[in-house]
Amino acid sequence: MYIKKILLVIGLMGIIAGSVFAYYVYDAVFSPNTKFESKTAEVYIPTDATYTEFIELISPYIKDIYSFDRIARRKGYIQNIKAGHFILYKDQNNNEIVNTLRSKNIPIKVTFNNQERLENLAGRIAEQIEADSLSLLKAFKDTSYLKAHNFSLENALAMYIPNKYEFFWNTSAEGFRDRMYKEYTTFWNDAREAKAKAIGLSKQDVITIASIVQKETARVDERPRVAGVYMNRYKKGWKLDADPTVIYAIKKKNDDWDMVIKRVLYKDLEIESPYNTYRNVALPPGPITMPDISSIDAVLNHESHDFFFFVANVEKPGYHMFAKNMAQHNRNKAQYVKWINKQKINR
């Protein structure tokens, strides 16, 4: 009888211990274990992160890091850490968190526009994906890659069509560059290629002229007209005489890309540079900025007109006055010079 009581007690203790253990396991696996108050939290896990680095990174989002650690180890996550951008949800349990980090790398939106140089583009992209600016710039300037894809260092910026794209955050520098080339080939569809051929320009030359149009006017509705002026000059074999190319040449010569030039002086027109279209009939060797798609399409679909000159319209800020001949242009220019002198803009 006494032995039966002992066995009964032992049995009851076993049941209790088992229940406690079962509850502990359930609690560790299935109880909510996040400590952020917002609905979601974004987590970025670097490529080749160690488990220690991962735990340090995830800790701010986890209420009980010790229980999470045990579940992560049991599920084999320690041997298979995934790099990328992940979204955790409030009140997720350890099991759900590990499953999310294991399989749900969420793409991010990457945007860029109007970058003046590859260096600027590399810096802009490095703000958005894991790759740093140095690795991006190295990929952008890979001369073997550029040559294989019919680009040069001077016109390589033309390969990057400004837009909003989806990328995985942990995309490599080379992966980003390769994807951009694919987007470039998609952008230059049969219709756009046919239009470029019809106006006698290569794709890179279209983008070079578009970059000048981009710098000349911020007004999208005016870009086809400005593009028409430059195409009229180009077809006549004239120099483009574009002030933005002179400004670019000055910045390049001084290696000062933060320089602000609001007024181009007559002496500036003499600067020796392949980018100075006041001295050279040939187009610049590459774009002077990254043009918007609207500027590229403005060149491909430029207005057909008889204007060869234009100057800023002081009565309609942001727009220009257009002229068919030099006499008319000089009258328009006199208004502008009078206005800019009154504003005391000397440089």
Side-chain angles (χ1 to χ4, degrees):
M1 194 70 165
Y2 180 72
I3 295 174
K4 286 184 178 180
K5 286 182 179 181
I6 291 175
L7 293 174
L8 179 62
V9 170
I10 292 173
L12 288 172
M13 289 178 65
I15 292 171
I16 292 170
S19 298
V20 170
F21 178 75
Y23 173 79
Y24 172 80
V25 172
Y26 180 89
D27 185 64
V29 176
F30 298 110
S31 293
N33 196 27
T34 58
K35 67 177 180 182
F36 49 87
E37 294 303 318
S38 56
K39 290 183 179 179
T40 61
E42 295 185 85
V43 178
Y44 295 87
I45 300 176
T47 301
D48 298 327
T50 65
Y51 188 67
T52 299
E53 291 169 337
F54 163 74
I55 287 295
E56 289 178 359
L57 188 151
I58 202 73
S59 290
Y61 308 97
I62 305 297
K63 188 186 301 180
D64 181 358
I65 195 64
Y66 300 105
S67 67
F68 173 79
D69 172 57
R70 285 191 291 272
I71 298 305
R73 288 176 182 275
R74 285 183 182 180
K75 291 176 72 71
Y77 184 77
I78 186 172
Q79 291 88 21
N80 194 22
I81 298 171
K82 298 287 187 181
H85 165 240
F86 304 90
I87 297 179
L88 303 183
Y89 292 86
K90 185 180 179 181
D91 293 334
Q92 277 186 312
N93 58 50
N94 287 329
N95 189 60
E96 292 169 329
I97 294 169
V98 173
N99 287 344
T100 295
L101 296 174
R102 175 180 281 169
S103 61
K104 296 182 180 178
N105 187 4
I106 306 297
I108 61 170
K109 300 291 184 182
V110 173
T111 61
F112 58 89
N113 64 348
N114 306 147
Q115 306 302 310
E116 220 169 22
R117 301 174 301 146
L118 291 173
E119 287 81 356
N120 301 111
L121 177 61
R124 176 76 181 105
I125 301 306
E127 294 173 351
Q128 300 175 77
I129 67 174
E130 182 183 17
D132 61 49
S133 58
L134 290 178
S135 63
L136 285 161
L137 188 58
K138 182 180 178 182
F140 296 169
K141 289 189 171 184
D142 183 337
T143 53
S144 296
Y145 183 90
L146 293 174
K147 185 177 180 181
H149 293 81
N150 298 314
F151 285 94
S152 65
L153 282 173
E154 289 74 23
N155 65 22
L157 192 65
M159 195 176 84
Y160 301 88
I161 304 298
N163 214 329
K164 180 182 287 186
Y165 301 96
E166 273 197 355
F167 276 92
F168 287 115
W169 174 75
N170 54 312
T171 298
S172 68
E174 293 78 12
F176 175 83
R177 176 202 62 196
D178 295 351
R179 164 75 182 284
M180 285 295 93
Y181 178 71
K182 289 181 180 178
E183 294 293 343
Y184 172 85
T185 58
T186 299
F187 174 81
W188 282 104
N189 54 31
D190 291 344
R192 284 193 174 99
E193 286 215 43
K195 288 178 180 178
K197 186 176 181 180
I199 60 177
L201 295 174
S202 68
K203 292 177 287 189
Q204 287 92 339
D205 286 345
V206 168
I207 292 179
T208 295
I209 294 178
S211 72
I212 299 173
V213 173
Q214 177 79 32
K215 284 290 191 178
E216 287 285 14
T217 179
R219 303 292 184 177
V220 174
D221 59 326
E222 191 185 55
R223 285 173 180 168
R225 177 162 292 189
V226 171
V229 171
Y230 284 124
M231 288 306 301
N232 284 345
R233 293 177 184 176
Y234 180 81
K235 291 172 186 175
K236 286 280 189 180
W238 293 9
K239 298 188 301 296
L240 293 190
D241 286 355
D243 286 1
T245 66
V246 176
I247 294 172
Y248 184 90
I250 294 171
K251 289 181 176 182
K252 186 173 178 63
K253 182 178 180 179
N254 290 279
D255 195 25
D256 184 355
W257 299 95
D258 296 321
M259 185 183 297
V260 176
I261 300 174
K262 295 183 178 180
R263 184 172 186 172
V264 173
L265 308 177
Y266 285 114
K267 66 177 183 179
D268 297 330
L269 307 184
E270 300 303 318
I271 186 172
E272 290 190 17
S273 169
Y275 290 92
N276 182 1
T277 57
Y278 277 87
R279 287 180 64 94
N280 305 293
V281 174
L283 295 179
I288 60 171
T289 192
M290 179 185 291
D292 292 343
I293 291 175
S294 63
S295 292
I296 300 171
D297 284 340
V299 175
L300 293 173
N301 303 283
H302 60 272
E303 272 190 23
S304 179
H305 54 57
D306 297 325
F307 297 126
F308 283 83
F309 309 94
F310 64 96
V311 69
N313 188 338
V314 297
E315 296 179 355
K316 197 175 180 182
Y319 287 94
H320 294 80
M321 296 181 289
F322 294 82
K324 296 180 180 180
N325 54 60
M326 185 60 76
Q328 184 181 2
H329 175 61
N330 285 337
R331 289 194 295 271
N332 293 340
K333 184 179 177 181
Q335 294 181 41
Y336 172 70
V337 171
K338 182 179 179 180
W339 176 85
I340 200 170
N341 287 338
K342 189 175 179 180
Q343 303 302 313
K344 297 182 179 180
I345 299 174
N346 299 315
R347 195 50 165 157

